[in-house]
Amino acid sequence: MKVGKIYGTDPWLEPFKAAIEARHARIAAEKRKLFGSGRISDKVNNHLYYGLHFRNGAWVFREWAPNATRIFIIGDFNNWKRTEAYALKPVGGGNWELELPSLFLHHGDLYKLWIEWPGGGAERLPSYATRVVQDPETKVFSAQVWNPEPYEWKHRRPGKRPHPFIYECHIGMSSEEEKVASFEDFRRDVLPRVKALGYDVLQIMALQEHPYYGSFGYQVSNFFALSSRFGTPEEFKALVDDAHSKGIAVIMDIVHSHMVKNESEGLSRFDGREDLYFYNGEQGHHPAWDSRCFDYGKDETKYFLLSNCKFWMEEYHLDGFRFDGVTSMLYWDHGLGRDFGNYELYFNQGVDENAVTYLALANMLVHEIDPNAVVIAEDVSGMPGLAAPFAAGGVGFDFRMSMGIADHWIKWIKEKSDEQWSMGEMWWELTNKRVEESTVSYAECHDQALVGDKTIIFRLIDKEMYWSMNKDSRNLIIDRGVALHKLIRLVTAATAAGGYLNFMGNEFGHPEWIDFPREGNGWSYKYARRQWSLADNNLLRYGALLRFDREMVRYLKKEKVLCSPPELLRADEEKQVLIFRRENTIFALNFNPGASFDNYGFPAPEGKYRKVFDSDGKEFGGFGRLGAAEEHETVSDEHILYLYLPSRCALVLKKI
């Protein structure tokens, strides 16, 4: 099937046709140079060559360190001394190797490398270490020999997710207890909740090892190591396996946009060189994140990162990735301070075409391994083609995050009174998406929940949350917040052009912010957890918000609402009513803070409609102003549908 080019569907891209074709040719040429005419996945196997492996009854360790003059393995087994029995030998191409009898290393042993280079030397963690642990007292990280009985997988991957409903989560803060939760805690206590809510993709943060827990996993040190603070590789495999048994795909936040500058844990000056995997000089240092920036033009870097993708998919049966910090990768200035209002910015000298090429190759690789994989780009710049097929002149992501939507909800709540909310502006911001690219919409993600920011529910009701969330309270601020929380989520999900995302606990309006243990809060876990009991408490209103979210997700999935584009039926600025249809469903939302409208008429496709649910139902924390399963029929030659629209209420009607 012939695929149309992105400049054919967007006339604004026509002037950049030559640049788009040149980018396409550059990626194709790089693919041929590195991998020939075969499959990328057959040639990307660094993780099988480098690192520590038990082969044919012996241990084999390999490392790439072209600037090194000597390398030793040090650890429990040799009292952390540099001995000739544990000295690696150079084997050419900057590679070093050591083969040891099985008795020299044992499962659970701690070890590191001692690397010497001209003018210096230091301890380092192996670049392909798959198990790294932290000493609870000294806080020092070491690699660990890991050779258990192989995990026996029981369930297949759940298959394609053309319209994913994503539950974004963090394992460590998923417990109600003030602690770092484990994979087993999550599997036992949280995964059943995700299943009950109806979400079909689990997006897990902070899986790659990171020295500072409070970084939310975005300052990675060991790219092949599963963070040991949450448990063992086998426990994580059991979690993924259990999710698959429930029909839930599992993707991870993968961080290839930068790396910690830590030398003892990471790859910075690994063998004494500043630019082993990174750009030289100033370009190799991120000015905002205080971290190291990969040189995506280096073959060794591309093989390292591509092998990292393959490793996570094959070792842990993951179903895809959400690539973090893509904007930072795409531009030499990392997109800092730009508003990206000009198409020229996507195709000029400010773009790091090395990074564009790497991302395209990564998408090809992932989809070779699993054609059903879900791959999402976190990009705020809006670069055209990022989530378009490679054949169309794109970079090949399945989805891009629709990051502007959350920003606009914050803007409307913070800067405008309820009476100033514009239905036309809202519709534009929710639906203004590239037709050739699928996006993931969200009202809020983890970003809005972090300390220093506020979740939607906290912006709406603030301190009243502490005193008036019980069902018996009569509080106008709470009533407003609960009503708008439901309307905002429904209109965001129902207009999504691909998928929808929710961050763990936000479905029921989890109170307060996320603040990880740090010196400033006395290393407390009080705000780095999820209070599930609030949603389970029948005396409080949180459970009503959860029930609405569950019904919303259930209906949108069951009726395949996201399979067709939304069609605007009415954007009434005076009355603040927004009505649109999708597939066989009409969504009618009245954002008016005080006025309800009887016999509100609007044109709709001819036929009968039944109300399937509404946000004002008492089970959803509303006032019950509408009857159950009401039926309505279009009248007159103009096919007008008349509805009663209570204030701050949404109706969902299905065509009979």
Side-chain angles (χ1 to χ4, degrees):
M1 183 177 70
K2 187 175 177 61
V3 179
K5 298 291 187 178
I6 58 174
Y7 48 75
T9 56
D10 182 356
W12 289 93
L13 287 175
E14 182 63 33
F16 304 100
K17 176 179 178 180
I20 292 168
E21 291 292 352
R23 177 175 289 174
H24 182 89
R26 188 181 304 112
I27 295 166
E30 188 70 5
K31 179 177 181 289
R32 286 193 301 273
K33 184 195 86 171
L34 293 176
F35 312 112
S37 58
R39 290 164 51 89
I40 298 176
S41 56
D42 293 337
K43 306 290 181 65
V44 173
N45 293 300
N46 278 28
H47 57 294
L48 301 179
Y49 179 78
Y50 295 110
L52 181 65
H53 301 280
F54 192 67
R55 298 279 191 269
N56 301 318
W59 294 100
V60 178
F61 181 86
R62 299 187 186 96
E63 188 60 82
W64 182 64
N67 194 47
T69 55
R70 299 185 79 187
I71 302 179
F72 298 89
I73 295 179
I74 58 175
D76 294 333
F77 36 81
N78 59 11
N79 294 317
W80 300 91
K81 305 293 185 183
R82 286 164 260 164
T83 61
E84 287 303 316
Y86 290 89
L88 279 69
K89 305 293 189 291
V91 293
N95 294 315
W96 296 75
E97 183 178 286
L98 173 64
E99 185 170 337
L100 292 167
S102 60
L103 291 177
F104 277 51
L105 294 174
H106 302 90
H107 175 71
D109 284 348
L110 301 181
Y111 71 101
K112 292 184 181 183
L113 301 179
W114 175 269
I115 301 181
E116 297 177 1
W117 55 81
E123 291 182 355
R124 294 288 186 260
L125 295 180
S127 57
Y128 288 82
T130 58
R131 175 75 173 169
V132 172
V133 296
Q134 186 178 27
D135 186 283
E137 295 182 4
T138 66
K139 306 303 180 185
V140 172
F141 284 86
S142 300
Q144 187 174 37
V145 178
W146 200 253
N147 190 36
E149 288 293 320
Y151 180 83
E152 294 186 14
W153 292 91
K154 303 174 185 64
H155 303 283
R156 296 180 179 178
R157 300 174 191 267
K160 196 166 184 62
R161 292 288 182 273
H163 301 290
F165 284 81
I166 302 169
Y167 199 80
E168 182 188 32
C169 63
H170 183 283
I171 299 295
M173 57 169 287
S174 65
S175 172
E176 183 141 357
E177 298 178 51
E178 295 183 25
K179 67 173 188 177
V180 177
S182 69
F183 294 125
E184 182 59 20
D185 289 332
F186 189 96
R187 188 193 67 78
R188 183 189 63 239
D189 300 331
V190 183
L191 192 58
R193 292 179 179 270
V194 180
K195 173 65 176 177
L197 285 166
Y199 290 89
D200 56 18
V201 175
L202 198 62
Q203 179 181 307
I204 308 181
M205 310 170 67
L207 288 177
Q208 294 167 294
E209 190 58 86
H210 46 290
Y212 179 47
Y213 184 49
S215 75
F216 233 141
Y218 291 125
Q219 292 273 341
V220 171
S221 53
N222 311 102
F223 282 72
F224 292 83
L226 180 74
S227 181
S228 61
R229 55 172 59 87
F230 308 131
T232 68
E234 289 65 45
E235 288 168 336
F236 179 57
K237 290 174 182 178
L239 166 57
V240 175
D241 212 6
D242 198 355
H244 286 171
S245 77
K246 292 174 168 57
I248 300 172
V250 182
I251 67 175
M252 69 178 279
D253 264 11
I254 196 165
V255 182
H256 283 180
S257 48
H258 66 133
M259 185 183 197
V260 292
K261 69 177 184 181
N262 306 35
E263 295 178 6
S264 58
E265 291 97 4
L267 296 176
S268 188
R269 293 185 73 245
F270 182 74
D271 63 354
R273 280 179 55 181
E274 177 82 1
D275 61 344
L276 185 64
Y277 290 98
F278 311 104
Y279 282 119
N280 225 331
E282 187 177 320
Q283 197 62 54
H285 297 264
H286 200 292
W289 297 343
D290 194 26
S291 54
R292 301 303 314 275
C293 299
F294 286 109
D295 181 348
Y296 304 103
K298 273 190 171 183
D299 292 350
E300 294 86 356
T301 300
K302 285 195 286 285
Y303 273 107
F304 176 82
L305 295 175
L306 290 171
S307 295
N308 192 236
C309 295
K310 183 176 180 180
F311 167 79
W312 284 99
M313 291 190 74
E314 293 194 340
E315 181 68 18
Y316 294 108
H317 288 206
L318 294 182
D319 303 290
F321 302 102
R322 180 258 206 188
F323 275 77
D324 179 70
V326 167
T327 305
S328 179
M329 300 171 71
L330 292 175
Y331 305 96
W332 292 110
D333 64 0
H334 310 294
L336 299 172
R338 291 202 196 191
D339 60 6
F340 292 99
N342 185 337
Y343 270 43
E344 174 69 31
L345 297 173
Y346 303 126
F347 303 103
N348 64 18
Q349 297 302 308
V351 176
D352 182 354
E353 293 292 346
N354 295 328
V356 176
T357 297
Y358 164 68
L359 289 169
L361 294 175
N363 280 304
M364 293 177 194
L365 168 69
V366 171
H367 290 107
E368 279 183 9
I369 297 171
D370 181 7
N372 294 325
V374 176
V375 193
I376 305 168
E378 189 222 18
D379 168 52
V380 73
S381 77
M383 176 181 278
L386 195 62
F390 176 66
V395 182
F397 282 97
D398 298 300
F399 303 90
R400 67 191 316 151
M401 302 293 289
S402 194
M403 301 180 71
I405 292 176
D407 292 339
H408 277 87
W409 284 123
I410 293 171
K411 176 183 175 183
W412 293 325
I413 294 170
K414 276 181 64 176
E415 300 176 7
K416 298 184 178 184
S417 68
D418 293 2
E419 292 80 7
Q420 293 175 315
W421 286 22
S422 164
M423 300 299 100
E425 181 187 7
M426 185 183 297
W427 178 257
W428 170 258
E429 295 300 343
L430 289 170
T431 62
N432 178 31
K433 305 178 179 78
R434 307 190 64 82
V435 296
E436 75 278 11
E437 301 187 45
S438 294
T439 57
V440 173
S441 293
Y442 57 97
E444 54 186 345
C445 68
H446 72 272
D447 287 329
Q448 287 73 42
L450 290 169
V451 66
D453 205 339
K454 287 185 178 181
T455 59
I456 284 175
I457 196 71
F458 213 62
R459 286 189 183 280
L460 290 170
I461 65 179
D462 207 67
K463 65 181 183 297
E464 298 295 327
M465 174 175 282
Y466 299 120
W467 319 112
S468 304
M469 279 297 281
N470 55 303
K471 289 180 179 178
D472 295 333
S473 69
R474 294 292 176 262
N475 186 303
L476 293 178
I477 293 175
I478 295 291
D479 291 342
R480 169 184 178 262
V482 168
L484 287 178
H485 192 269
K486 291 177 285 187
L487 265 64
I488 287 169
R489 294 180 123 60
L490 178 62
V491 75
T492 302
T495 54
Y500 174 73
L501 177 142
N502 166 67
F503 177 66
M504 175 177 69
N506 284 1
E507 69 276 4
F508 65 83
H510 195 283
E512 300 176 320
W513 51 85
I514 298 166
D515 189 11
F516 281 90
R518 55 187 173 84
E519 189 174 1
N521 65 16
W523 302 103
S524 169
Y525 288 89
K526 181 178 179 180
Y527 297 106
R529 61 191 179 111
R530 297 283 90 177
Q531 298 180 62
W532 306 106
S533 61
L534 295 175
D536 299 337
N537 189 332
N538 289 327
L539 300 177
L540 302 176
R541 302 193 189 198
Y542 298 101
L545 295 177
L546 183 145
R547 285 189 290 276
F548 180 79
D549 194 88
R550 182 174 61 204
E551 178 61 20
M552 176 186 79
V553 170
R554 183 201 67 80
Y555 183 80
L556 295 177
K557 285 174 59 182
K558 177 176 177 287
E559 297 300 323
K560 298 181 171 56
V561 169
L562 303 190
C563 291
S564 65
E567 175 191 343
L568 180 63
L569 300 179
R570 178 67 56 84
D572 188 330
E573 296 290 2
E574 180 186 358
K575 291 184 169 64
Q576 291 184 284
V577 171
L578 179 65
I579 304 175
F580 58 96
R581 67 179 287 263
R582 205 159 185 182
E583 288 286 315
N584 62 348
T585 301
I586 287 177
F587 299 89
L589 299 98
N590 179 8
F591 281 90
N592 196 296
S596 300
F597 305 107
D598 198 10
N599 289 323
Y600 186 94
F602 59 94
E606 182 182 10
K608 286 186 177 182
Y609 295 84
R610 178 183 294 115
K611 180 178 71 68
V612 286
F613 70 98
D614 68 88
S615 66
D616 198 51
K618 288 188 176 181
E619 70 272 28
F620 304 139
F623 296 100
R625 289 170 287 179
L626 292 161
E630 295 175 346
E631 290 190 5
H632 306 270
E633 186 173 4
T634 55
V635 298
S636 80
D637 293 339
E638 287 77 31
H639 308 309
I640 304 300
L641 196 64
Y642 290 94
L643 300 175
Y644 170 50
L645 298 178
S647 60
R648 289 196 182 121
C649 177
L651 282 69
V652 179
L653 302 105
K654 179 181 176 181
K655 192 173 184 182
I656 302 173

